[in-house]
């Protein structure tokens, strides 16, 4: 299974693709799409769309994970970021991929274990998780890989032939005398 992560930005959009067979994760590709000096905003968006479309065609991912917007320094920056996200999502949908979104704190928790981790901490964890000789650079590429790995951690185990819904008892089908082994398995009592 392949997951393609996108860290959208109007000046630099990070991308990263990982692949898993259920036993380990390996790097497929990563990098950043950088706007050329002097490009007008519409040209930047066209470049992001064109290059992401080409990368998605080459990688053939099963999922595309995109960082959701959480805040921006001002309204103008938020609008530009929103346009870049829209172009990235459009490229993914045109490639026939399922698109999922994750908040920045959720991504950092999934990769580093702390929702307020700093950029260098994310880069180091990506280096460790993927067994790389050096942290991915620029940080936008590491962020995109973190988004892809976040989605990987949010999915049921690959290749086990098990439906996650049948493994985790829900409120409608409780298993008596069985305690959840993780917070993901906890279900509040039906009468609570």
């Amino acid at each position: 299974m392949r997951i393609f992560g996108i860290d959208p930005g109007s000046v630099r959009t990070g991308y990263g693709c990982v692949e898993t067979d259920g036993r380990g994760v390996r790097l497929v590709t990563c990098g950043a799409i950088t706007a050329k000096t002097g490009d007008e905003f519409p040209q930047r968006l066209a470049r992001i769309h064109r290059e992401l479309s080409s990368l998605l065609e080459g990688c053939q991912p099963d999922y595309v994970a995109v960082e959701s917007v959480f805040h921006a320094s001002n309204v103008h920056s938020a609008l530009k970021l929103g346009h870049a996200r829209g172009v990235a999502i459009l490229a993914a949908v045109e490639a026939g991929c399922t698109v999922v979104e994750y908040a920045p704190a959720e991504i950092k928790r999934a990769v580093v274990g702390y929702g307020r981790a700093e950029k260098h901490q994310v880069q180091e964890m990506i280096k460790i998780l993927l067994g790389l000789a050096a942290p991915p650079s620029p940080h936008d590429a590491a962020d995109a890989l973190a988004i892809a790995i976040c989605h990987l951690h949010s999915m049921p185990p690959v290749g086990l032939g098990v439906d996650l819904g049948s493994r985790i008892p829900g409120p409608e089908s409780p298993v008596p005398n069985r305690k959840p082994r993780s917070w993901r398995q906890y279900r509040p009592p039906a009468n609570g």
Side-chain angles (χ1 to χ4, degrees), residues 6 34 46-47 53-54 57 63 72 102-103 105 137-139 148 155 160-161 167 169 173 186:
I6 301 174
T34 305
R47 180 183 179 99
S53 295
S54 176
E57 183 180 337
Y63 295 92
Y102 293 96
S137 185
H139 66 80
M155 297 184 64
L160 297 180
R167 290 187 336 141
S173 60
Y186 173 77

Side-chain angles (χ1 to χ4, degrees), residues 5-189:
I6 301 174
D7 179 31
S10 61
V11 176
R12 192 165 54 205
T13 293
Y15 64 87
C17 186
V18 296
E19 183 174 61
T20 183
D21 59 3
R23 293 176 296 213
V25 183
R26 78 171 188 86
L27 173 67
V28 175
T29 188
C30 72
I33 300 166
T34 305
K36 290 184 178 178
T37 306
D39 275 357
E40 295 295 325
F41 187 64
Q43 294 167 324
R44 291 181 191 177
L45 294 177
R47 180 183 179 99
I48 292 167
H49 182 267
R50 185 176 55 253
E51 292 194 27
L52 281 177
S53 295
S54 176
L55 288 161
L56 290 166
E57 183 180 337
C59 290
Q60 295 291 307
D62 299 290
Y63 295 92
V64 172
V66 181
E67 185 177 70
S68 61
V69 177
F70 68 108
H71 73 52
S73 56
N74 61 49
V75 174
H76 188 68
S77 297
L79 284 171
K80 284 188 171 187
L81 180 57
H83 290 326
R85 285 185 74 253
V87 166
I89 291 170
L90 175 63
V93 170
E94 287 178 340
C97 300
T98 300
V99 179
V100 293
E101 297 179 60
Y102 293 96
E106 189 176 7
I107 296 162
K108 291 174 182 179
R109 268 194 310 276
V111 174
V112 180
Y114 177 59
R116 293 184 176 192
E118 295 180 20
K119 297 258 183 218
H120 69 89
Q121 292 172 309
V122 173
Q123 283 180 300
E124 284 298 319
M125 279 306 296
I126 294 301
K127 173 187 163 190
I128 292 166
L129 291 171
L130 296 177
L132 305 175
S137 185
H139 66 80
D140 307 273
D143 289 349
L145 289 168
I147 296 162
I149 290 172
C150 174
H151 183 63
L152 181 66
H153 288 178
S154 301
M155 297 184 64
V158 176
L160 297 180
V162 176
D163 174 28
L164 186 62
S166 65
R167 290 187 336 141
I168 300 174
E172 64 282 345
S173 60
V175 176
N177 300 324
R178 182 181 253 177
K179 293 182 181 179
R181 291 184 302 210
S182 82
W183 67 268
R184 291 178 195 261
Q185 293 174 316
Y186 173 77
R187 299 292 185 266

